[in-house]
């Protein structure tokens, strides 16, 4: 009798596909939160597998701050065209113009926190009752508290002390009017799992993840990419470095690392050897010890 067993990655894949199918079974208007980063790319690929040969039966939602890497936007548009799915774009600039949010000022101004209002507005306008995201528990301590099905109240807020048990992979999607869920199919994946899966599945990813020459400045212990949105300080100078990015966000807050990893194999070796966290170069996470949890309680990703 043959012994049938799944590899580690296949087990993670099967679990994630089960969660995604469960979302479609329990909710009326699900959507995938798509940032153009590696995690949302993997989630989108898993959704494609879950319903193949049919198309992904839900739209992709991207919250555009107006400060994205141009490479990320180009990748997003190409993938949407390839998949033939609907793309819903929430614009932070539009939220600013309408007076829904106020642009930050000062030396460390960022549009990252402003995404929350734009996201909640997009969820309400499109009647989305389940927003599937690519967050993983190993990324950050606040995300480690998340369940697969994360309940949000009618204000879009998250209460980490009021989450539902998920025994034996039973997911409770019951909600009241105005409430919705965030769902995280790859919660149990690690950064290494993501990269190995991308290699195994031969997935396309933005060129930003590979080492390349770029104009950067050194600020707050990281290399920030130079752009039209960066205001140079008196002591700063623009230098050219061979860097790559481990995580993608706004161009104003996403720090790069010096690297020569220009292939997936080299990236995997680099991740295996590093002793620094994946989000250690994200300026938005450095504002306070609880910055991520505070934003999540307000309705952030």
């Amino acid at each position: 009798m043959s012994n049938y067993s799944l590899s580690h990655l296949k087990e993670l894949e099967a679990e994630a596909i089960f969660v995604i199918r469960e979302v479609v079974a329990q909710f009326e208007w699900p959507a995938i939160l798509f940032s153009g980063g590696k995690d949302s790319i993997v989630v989108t690929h898993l959704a494609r597998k879950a319903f193949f040969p049919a198309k992904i039966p839900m739209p992709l939602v991207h919250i555009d701050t107006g400060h994205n890497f141009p490479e990320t936007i180009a990748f997003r548009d190409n993938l949407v065209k390839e998949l033939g799915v609907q793309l819903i774009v929430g614009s932070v600039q539009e939220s600013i113009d309408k007076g829904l949010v106020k642009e930050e000022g000062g030396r460390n101004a960022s549009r990252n926190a402003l995404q929350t209002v734009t996201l909640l507005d997009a969820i309400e306008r499109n009647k989305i009752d389940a927003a599937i995201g690519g967050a993983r528990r190993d990324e950050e301590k606040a995300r480690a508290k998340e369940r697969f099905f994360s309940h949000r109240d009618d204000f879009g807020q998250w209460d980490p002390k009021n989450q539902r048990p998920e025994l034996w992979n039973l997911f409770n999607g019951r909600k009241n009017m105005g409430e919705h869920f965030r769902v995280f199919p790859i919660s149990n994946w690690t950064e290494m799992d993501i990269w190995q899966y991308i290699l195994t599945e031969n997935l396309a990813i933005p060129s930003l993840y590979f080492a390349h020459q770029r104009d950067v400045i050194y600020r707050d212990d990281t290399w920030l990419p130079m752009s039209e949105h960066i205001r140079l300080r008196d002591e700063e100078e623009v230098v050219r470095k061979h860097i790559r990015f481990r995580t993608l966000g706004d161009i104003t807050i996403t720090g790069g690392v010096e690297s020569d990893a220009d292939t997936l194999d080299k990236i995997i070796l680099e991740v295996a050897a590093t002793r620094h966290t994946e989000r250690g170069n994200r300026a938005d996470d450095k504002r306070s010890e609880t910055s991520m949890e505070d934003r999540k309680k307000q309705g952030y990703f």
Side-chain angles (χ1 to χ4, degrees):
M1 182 176 180
S2 60
N3 181 25
Y4 178 76
S5 61
L6 295 176
S7 68
H8 172 64
L9 285 180
K10 285 298 181 182
E11 284 187 1
L12 290 173
E13 179 188 68
E15 178 184 62
I17 287 176
F18 170 75
V19 173
I20 292 170
R21 288 173 175 166
E22 191 69 17
V23 170
V24 173
Q26 292 198 40
F27 298 95
E28 293 185 84
W29 303 105
I32 296 174
L33 300 177
F34 187 82
S35 67
K38 63 185 185 305
D39 300 313
S40 62
I41 291 171
V42 166
V43 169
T44 304
H45 178 71
L46 291 165
R48 188 181 192 179
K49 274 196 163 187
F51 304 105
F52 188 83
K55 291 184 179 179
I56 298 174
M58 65 192 91
L60 304 187
V61 177
H62 179 230
I63 305 303
D64 183 6
T65 65
H67 291 175
N68 294 102
F69 285 92
E71 296 94 329
T72 304
I73 299 299
F75 183 90
R76 178 201 71 184
D77 293 342
N78 289 334
L79 183 63
V80 167
K81 184 178 180 180
E82 176 192 339
L83 296 176
V85 297
Q86 178 189 3
L87 173 65
I88 297 172
V89 178
S91 169
V92 171
Q93 183 61 55
E94 186 176 312
S95 297
I96 294 172
D97 295 340
K98 289 181 177 179
L100 299 177
V101 293
K102 183 179 180 181
E103 183 121 41
E104 290 184 1
R107 289 165 60 95
N108 297 311
S110 167
R111 286 189 172 184
N112 189 65
L114 307 186
Q115 296 180 89
T116 299
V117 172
T118 307
L119 172 61
L120 294 176
D121 182 56
I123 287 174
E124 183 176 1
R125 280 189 292 105
N126 294 280
K127 299 180 180 179
I128 296 169
D129 53 2
I132 302 173
R136 310 186 322 269
R137 293 189 180 113
D138 79 318
E139 286 183 277
E140 202 273 341
K141 55 190 177 184
R143 287 181 167 172
K145 299 178 181 180
E146 289 279 21
R147 305 290 172 86
F148 281 108
F149 276 33
S150 179
H151 175 262
R152 304 299 170 105
D153 64 21
D154 53 354
F155 291 102
Q157 296 176 325
W158 172 66
D159 182 359
K161 296 180 179 179
N162 187 28
Q163 294 297 306
R164 298 169 182 177
E166 293 178 341
L167 305 176
W168 307 290
N169 284 338
L170 296 176
F171 303 121
N172 183 356
R174 184 177 299 175
K175 57 182 175 54
N176 296 318
M177 180 69 70
E179 299 175 346
H180 73 278
F181 277 78
R182 306 289 172 84
V183 182
F184 305 108
I186 59 172
S187 288
N188 289 333
W189 297 47
T190 65
E191 183 186 9
M192 179 62 80
D193 294 328
I194 292 292
W195 284 118
Q196 289 179 332
Y197 189 75
I198 288 172
L199 177 63
T200 301
E201 296 291 302
N202 194 28
L203 301 184
I205 56 174
S207 58
L208 297 161
Y209 283 115
F210 298 105
H212 58 285
Q213 291 286 335
R214 200 176 195 98
D215 289 336
V216 292
I217 59 172
Y218 196 69
R219 179 183 294 179
D220 297 330
D221 300 323
T222 191
W223 293 107
L224 280 181
M226 190 59 195
S227 74
E228 59 183 319
H229 308 296
I230 292 286
R231 295 182 182 179
L232 281 177
R233 301 170 184 172
D234 292 338
E235 71 278 8
E236 293 174 338
E237 64 173 326
V238 179
V239 296
R240 197 159 182 81
K241 289 283 184 178
H242 206 59
I243 65 167
R244 75 175 194 88
F245 301 96
R246 290 177 67 187
T247 177
L248 298 184
D250 266 15
I251 199 168
T252 59
I253 59 171
T254 304
V257 294
E258 292 190 72
S259 172
D260 62 357
D262 54 4
T263 67
L264 287 173
D265 289 313
K266 289 181 180 179
I267 288 175
I268 289 172
L269 289 175
E270 186 178 272
V271 170
T274 189
R275 292 297 177 266
H276 298 285
T277 62
E278 180 181 0
R279 293 182 65 94
N281 289 323
R282 289 286 292 266
D284 49 330
D285 288 352
K286 296 179 180 180
R287 292 194 169 191
S288 74
E289 285 293 321
T290 60
S291 57
M292 173 65 81
E293 183 160 333
D294 293 340
R295 295 199 305 273
K296 285 176 70 63
K297 286 179 179 178
Q298 296 168 2
Y300 187 73
F301 301 93

